[in-house]
Amino acid sequence: MVALAQEMETGTLHEQIVAKLRGVLLDGELGDGARIPEAQLCLRFGISRTPLREALKVLAAEGFVELRPNRGSIVAPIDPVEVAHVFELKGAIEHTIGRLAAVRATPEDRTRIEQAHAELGAHPDPAAYTALNQEFHRALAAATHNPVLQQTYDNLQKRVLRLRFVVNENPTRVAQSFVEHENIMVAFRAGARLDLAERLEEHNRLTGEAVMRRLKREGA
Amino acid sequence: MVALAQEMETGTLHEQIVAKLRGVLLDGELGDGARIPEAQLCLRFGISRTPLREALKVLAAEGFVELRPNRGSIVAPIDPVEVAHVFELKGAIEHTIGRLAAVRATPEDRTRIEQAHAELGAHPDPAAYTALNQEFHRALAAATHNPVLQQTYDNLQKRVLRLRFVVNENPTRVAQSFVEHENIMVAFRAGARLDLAERLEEHNRLTGEAVMRRLKREGA
DNA sequence: GAACGATATTTTGCATTCAAAAATGATCCG
DNA sequence: CGGATCATTTTTGAATGCAAAATATCGTTC
């Protein structure tokens, strides 16, 4: 089992609860549209309803939870149209990540990115793919040294992570994806800003299209 | 007094509280870094601390409020570096708004955008500027028909709105800004996607630079 | 046996309460 | 008179309590 919600055990208690709860949602422990068992989660986290509900509101604002007045909260149902919109926005941000990271990446950033890329190459299995891929893109985003961008990007990334089949990526797409990553790395190493930007945007578009095809097929 | 926080009286009670509280923050009623008077706001909104605190956590996640463990919440202090980062990300989104709005705007969108632009032309006073300018850009964002993008954009826009001197824009910049808007409209009317995208991004950059200069001057 | 409706149970949303932490300020000593 | 120490008050964070709403249960009728 790959932990998708690799949050650190840090920050305020509230932040920790948000992180844990997000973890529950991202790991698909509660399916799409499932009722969120407040009482159960309180027991599990060893807290009362007050802080849990605070976390729920935050996650609702982030788009992971849907609050239905007087009818409790549910895991936000996946809306294919919305997923497409998330990818569209993410594309814009990927482009910017490319332009900025190519120029701003420090030697440490470069090392981390190279490392993430190498790990992806070493583990071509779909099981490991999602987490490593996540790490790779996260490292690139970090190289922009723009925390506002990073956080927005991360949030969007998490939103698509909720789709189970992104996790259980198919082997063909994984292979294709790695080829795209190779090209991304070529542009990155060369410091080719616009080239990197375009490749990242294109990679996002292709991933998005794969996801949308899958969504259509599953008729979710 | 121009109401910056033009939220509607709709949605769940929770959403209304978040909106009202955001209004208090955006209208600059509480200065930068000021302690948030929980008790007072509860009185004013006629609610207890529980729902108010839920709203506070949401606004903290959005970056308007800073929660200090055991020391209460304060209006998030303005960090010039962060403001620059917000503008940088907003630039990426403006570009995308341009590319998409040029193609997707419906006749109704076009009417609304033209109207917003005309109103800006009719009221060249800095006092009215912020609200009308806000409306103009909001209308353009809406023309993308991408709610995810719209919401993210709106959130960023609100973050820069917190800077009081953006509200009290200086006349020179207002005039210059309108010229940029004119050019934006030319590209928009012509359906020139990339041209519109570039002009919007450039407009954002220039606004951002004006704000940053102001920030530096005031030494905030 | 299905459909409806009345009643019991659970869940939800918010107010209240309570313990712990921080801020305040009163007292003492140098 | 200034500054440290300790008691007092206030504020914070979270658990609990309570009324209203929704859901489930069950009996009744057709």
Side-chain angles (χ1 to χ4, degrees), chain B residues 35 49 53 68-70 72:
Chain B
R35 207 192 182 55
R49 286 205 303 136
R53 298 182 99 253
R68 301 168 310 166
N70 291 321

Side-chain angles (χ1 to χ4, degrees), chain A residues 10-219:
Chain A
T10 182
T12 65
L13 181 53
H14 166 69
E15 281 166 39
Q16 283 180 37
I17 296 172
V18 171
K20 274 200 266 187
L21 190 47
R22 201 189 343 245
V24 171
L25 299 178
L26 288 183
D27 290 346
E29 199 179 314
L30 294 163
D32 212 77
R35 205 189 182 57
I36 291 172
E38 264 189 29
Q40 214 164 305
L41 291 171
C42 286
L43 254 302
R44 177 160 155 194
F45 296 159
I47 56 173
S48 75
R49 286 204 304 135
T50 308
L52 186 86
R53 299 183 99 254
E54 286 171 354
L56 277 173
K57 309 269 168 164
V58 170
L59 289 172
E62 286 179 5
F64 293 107
V65 166
E66 194 178 308
L67 304 171
R68 301 167 311 164
N70 291 321
R71 312 192 54 250
S73 328
I74 57 173
V75 180
I78 288 165
D79 172 3
V81 174
E82 195 193 290
V83 173
H85 286 146
V86 169
F87 271 103
E88 189 166 81
L89 175 57
K90 204 158 73 70
I93 299 183
E94 292 277 9
H95 189 92
T96 304
I97 288 174
R99 279 191 310 170
L100 299 181
V103 176
R104 295 187 190 164
T106 64
E108 296 78 50
D109 290 329
R110 291 180 184 280
T111 307
R112 211 157 344 131
I113 291 164
E114 288 285 357
Q115 230 162 29
H117 178 62
E119 283 214 62
L120 255 168
H123 301 274
D125 47 304
Y129 176 77
T130 307
L132 294 174
N133 180 61
Q134 182 81 342
E135 188 46 41
F136 175 71
H137 285 287
R138 209 190 275 257
L140 270 165
T144 63
H145 294 270
N146 180 335
V148 177
L149 184 150
Q150 257 177 278
Q151 201 190 313
T152 304
Y153 177 75
D154 210 55
N155 195 215
L156 292 172
Q157 194 75 308
K158 279 176 184 151
R159 269 168 97 161
V160 304
L161 253 187
R162 277 197 47 222
L163 308 169
R164 301 282 226 100
F165 35 78
V166 176
V167 179
N168 308 319
E169 198 82 42
N170 80 350
T172 330
R173 175 67 199 139
V174 168
Q176 176 55 33
S177 177
F178 188 70
V179 172
E180 289 158 28
H181 278 208
E182 291 275 36
N183 289 329
I184 285 166
M185 288 308 291
V186 169
F188 175 65
R189 291 183 192 120
R193 293 169 64 239
L194 296 182
D195 199 26
L196 179 59
E198 272 175 41
R199 283 173 202 277
L200 277 171
E201 191 175 5
E202 176 78 353
H203 174 57
N204 174 76
R205 220 200 66 227
L206 293 170
T207 306
E209 281 171 8
V211 168
M212 293 311 292
R213 273 197 300 278
R214 196 84 174 253
L215 258 176
K216 198 170 266 177
R217 219 179 317 133
E218 310 221 353

